[in-house]
Amino acid sequence: MLVLLLFMMVLPFAEKASASNTFIQVNEEATVFDNRSGSLVQVGTLSAGQTFEVAKDYGANWWQIRWGGYYGYVEKRYTTIVSAKTYKNTVPAVAKIKDYIVPTSVAPIYDNTGNKLVQFATLSEGVRFPIYNRMGNWYGIAVNGRLGYVHSNFVVEEKGQDTTNTNTTKPPVEKPTTTPHPPSKQNGYIEAVENVILYDFRREKAMAIATLMKGQQLEIVDSMDPTYVQVRWGKSYIYAEKSKVKFINTPSYKNVGKDNAMKNEYFIPISANSEIYDKATKALQPFAKLDTNRRYPILRKEGDWYVTVIGGREGYIHRSKIAMDRGVPVMMYHHLLKEHELGRFKNVSTTMTDVQFAKEMSYLKSKNYETISADELLRFMRNEITLPAYSIALTFDDGLLSTREYAYPVLKNNGFKATQFLITYRNENSNDGQIFNYNDLQALSRQDMTNMQDVFTYGSHTYNLHDLIGNKGKMLLIPYHEVVQDLQRSIAIIPKAKAFAYPFGQYNANIVNAVKEVGFTMAFTTKVGYNNPYDDVYQIKRLSSNQQTTFEQFQKMVLPYAH
């Protein structure tokens, strides 16, 4: 295995850093920002427990580090100064930089010097980074003077120009295109001159998170962007329009809170009266209004009140105004038929009628549910984005032709998206233009898949391992290398696939490892439940609806909070 080859590599070490160098240890995952554009752009993260050398101390709030040919900035509050670095894989002094990698999703970076791979950082999607060396399916990169490895499944390679780095003390880097400037604050706080919406920009479209009321104040993180000022929200950031705020030096409020101390628990406002209050004085003072289609992190509970934090300020909301978020539901469907076509599929749990499916989708539309992609679910579970409270993922297992007949038109008419998990051997051998036969289980053809890609994205359900031997899935009974080979054949047919669904919901640690090795970034089970940030992305839970599911049961099932 390539991973084992990486373990056995002997890496050259550079000379030890001088005693005057500063080293930090990351206490919890810390974001790395690029500031060359004049506003902070996330380019990666540093993992908790890892140590790094600092390029420069930038005052009270920031460290400067080297990052792929320019400088990145890390907030000091997530770090502690330590006496020495703990890693050994320092990048050698002289190297050629010729080509680059560009992540197609968040790419983990690993240290390979121990007896197992240890993640010490990530690269953000789309961040161009110079390649130091190659080893099989792995790219070596210089991360702040530390050699790390990124698997080829997470990146694409981009050709560049030869440049030779002859500096005897620095890692190989590009010359920055502009002079970097440190992040800065302007006066430290904002006050709303009118009601101002606070936006989250981490998804493709801006999400309104809350409204800061006129005259109310928040602490700011950065104000260099010409249009927006940045404030903290949990472990991420939201933004207010500069034209609607003024800068002040000292806030009038006293209820200071630590955004990054939030628990991994969330509430959803369920009342139109969704203000959060300052409770520092006897008179309750509302300072922001929350959105009823959003989930908010909880700092703590005090009696009948829940406490959240926005922009460094604690806000209280009464328990009667909220419900506890239970996570994002993922629906699992298989086969659809008209009532008179059911025949041998009558009361089969993996089959439902077209009428029932259309009614369920119509309900989701009427309640303004947003159907999210598998990639968005992944980013949510990694806590890289938040999602509307009324979000749902729709999945179909087996890649059956009945989805062309009865699911595709309904989803398209509602403007919905869904994921199909394909048994790709069957799809590969299905004829284009086949006529639907409701008495049989037919597979989609490649042409069908292409014709429906405006609604469906495609994941894997194996190439040809969707079989039971007794009551066990074949995947669990064959050698590990045969599982890997099957999954590789599946990916060859759907090369963009990053999501996998376990046949019959059966899996073990070996199957999970095979799924990871081949390059799938997430996997779906048949376990019943909802999905939250930091849940295992290789054990995604799902819900199912079938001929025995009542409409009332479906409505309660998809509700983002317990009814």
Side-chain angles (χ1 to χ4, degrees), residues 34-90:
D34 175 9
N35 199 52
R36 294 175 297 165
S37 66
S39 60
L40 297 180
V41 177
Q42 180 173 336
V43 290
T45 63
L46 306 181
S47 300
Q50 298 295 312
T51 59
F52 299 88
E53 183 179 355
V54 170
K56 192 170 183 179
D57 185 339
Y58 258 107
N61 298 315
W62 300 89
W63 297 116
Q64 183 191 74
I65 64 173
R66 297 182 297 275
W67 193 264
Y70 50 91
Y71 290 110
Y73 296 89
V74 177
E75 291 187 77
K76 285 186 174 180
R77 61 172 161 174
Y78 297 127
T79 68
T80 302
I81 296 176
V82 292
S83 58
K85 60 183 176 63
T86 56
Y87 59 88
K88 296 179 180 180
N89 55 340
T90 308

Side-chain angles (χ1 to χ4, degrees), residues 185 188-191 212 215-220 231-232 248-259 277-281 285 287 309-315:
K185 272 190 182 182
Y189 299 87
I190 54 169
E191 182 176 306
L212 182 64
Q216 296 300 314
Q217 303 155 352
L218 296 176
E219 182 182 7
I220 67 173
V231 302
R232 182 169 288 283
I248 60 174
N249 292 313
T250 306
S252 59
Y253 65 85
K254 297 180 180 179
N255 57 331
V256 176
K258 294 183 178 180
D259 304 71
Y277 294 89
D278 187 319
K279 282 189 69 179
T281 61
Q285 173 66 51
F287 70 88
V309 181
I310 292 180
R313 186 174 181 181
E314 290 186 352

Side-chain angles (χ1 to χ4, degrees), residues 465-482:
L465 294 180
H466 195 280
D467 291 304
L468 283 173
I469 300 175
N471 61 356
K472 280 196 173 184
K474 183 178 179 180
M475 200 175 185
L476 275 68
L477 301 174
I478 63 175
Y480 180 88
H481 74 276
E482 291 184 20

Side-chain angles (χ1 to χ4, degrees), residues 13-21 23 53 84-85 87-88 90 169:
F13 298 150
E15 294 179 1
K16 291 183 179 179
S18 64
S20 61
N21 290 352
F23 300 99
E53 183 179 355
K85 60 183 176 63
Y87 59 88
K88 296 179 180 180
T90 308
T169 60

Side-chain angles (χ1 to χ4, degrees), residues 99-389:
D99 302 321
Y100 302 81
I101 54 172
V102 181
T104 55
S105 61
V106 173
I109 307 170
Y110 294 99
D111 185 314
N112 69 316
T113 54
N115 58 7
K116 65 178 181 178
L117 293 179
V118 175
Q119 181 178 320
F120 68 88
T122 69
L123 283 179
S124 295
E125 181 177 350
V127 174
R128 186 171 181 261
F129 210 98
I131 298 168
Y132 169 66
N133 65 16
R134 294 175 177 82
M135 171 59 68
N137 289 330
W138 296 82
Y139 292 98
I141 60 175
V143 182
N144 194 43
R146 182 174 181 179
L147 186 59
Y149 284 90
V150 177
H151 197 274
S152 59
N153 286 324
F154 294 96
V155 301
V156 293
E157 186 171 339
E158 181 180 297
K159 297 296 181 182
Q161 296 180 348
D162 268 0
T163 59
T164 301
N165 174 19
T166 56
N167 188 314
T168 59
T169 60
K170 302 292 184 181
V173 294
E174 299 175 78
K175 291 182 179 179
T177 55
T178 60
T179 303
H181 298 285
S184 67
K185 272 190 182 182
Q186 181 176 336
N187 298 325
Y189 299 87
I190 54 169
E191 182 176 306
V193 296
E194 59 182 274
N195 287 352
V196 56
I197 296 175
L198 302 173
Y199 292 102
D200 184 340
F201 291 129
R202 292 175 296 167
R203 297 182 75 201
E204 290 182 1
K205 56 185 178 181
M207 288 179 63
I209 297 299
T211 300
L212 182 64
M213 296 178 177
K214 182 179 179 180
Q216 296 300 314
Q217 303 155 352
L218 296 176
E219 182 182 7
I220 67 173
V221 175
D222 186 78
S223 60
M224 291 188 66
D225 187 273
T227 306
Y228 294 96
V229 60
Q230 182 187 62
V231 302
R232 182 169 288 283
W233 184 48
K235 294 184 179 181
S236 59
Y237 300 97
I238 49 180
Y239 298 82
E241 291 182 67
K242 276 187 173 179
S243 62
K244 297 180 180 180
V245 301
K246 65 180 180 181
F247 295 94
I248 60 174
N249 292 313
T250 306
S252 59
Y253 65 85
K254 297 180 180 179
N255 57 331
V256 176
K258 294 183 178 180
D259 304 71
N260 63 339
M262 295 291 195
K263 298 177 181 178
N264 189 34
E265 296 178 322
Y266 304 82
F267 67 77
I268 298 170
I270 57 174
S271 168
N273 179 20
S274 58
E275 289 83 6
I276 52 174
Y277 294 89
D278 187 319
K279 282 189 69 179
T281 61
K282 291 183 179 180
L284 291 179
Q285 173 66 51
F287 70 88
K289 183 177 177 65
L290 306 183
D291 192 302
T292 53
N293 192 20
R294 301 288 182 262
R295 38 177 56 90
Y296 296 90
I298 296 169
L299 181 64
R300 64 180 181 276
K301 187 174 183 290
E302 291 185 8
D304 289 334
W305 296 85
Y306 285 86
V307 185
T308 190
V309 181
I310 292 180
R313 186 174 181 181
E314 290 186 352
Y316 288 71
I317 188 168
H318 196 270
R319 66 178 179 87
S320 62
K321 307 294 184 183
I322 64 100
M324 295 300 292
D325 174 35
R326 59 184 179 183
V328 174
V330 178
M331 291 301 301
M332 175 177 62
Y333 298 101
H334 291 75
H335 192 34
L336 303 178
L337 292 172
K338 291 184 177 298
E339 181 72 35
H340 73 272
E341 296 172 341
L342 286 172
R344 65 189 177 99
F345 298 104
K346 183 73 173 178
N347 296 324
V348 174
S349 64
T350 53
T351 304
M352 71 186 312
T353 69
D354 62 328
V355 172
Q356 182 182 354
F357 179 75
K359 186 176 183 180
E360 291 180 355
M361 295 304 103
S362 178
Y363 173 77
L364 296 179
K365 184 71 172 180
S366 71
K367 296 299 181 181
N368 296 315
Y369 276 81
E370 180 177 341
T371 54
I372 60 168
S373 67
D375 181 65
E376 286 184 302
L377 177 65
L378 176 66
R379 294 176 66 198
F380 172 78
M381 293 177 69
R382 288 174 171 172
N383 204 35
E384 295 169 1
I385 59 171
T386 188
L387 289 171

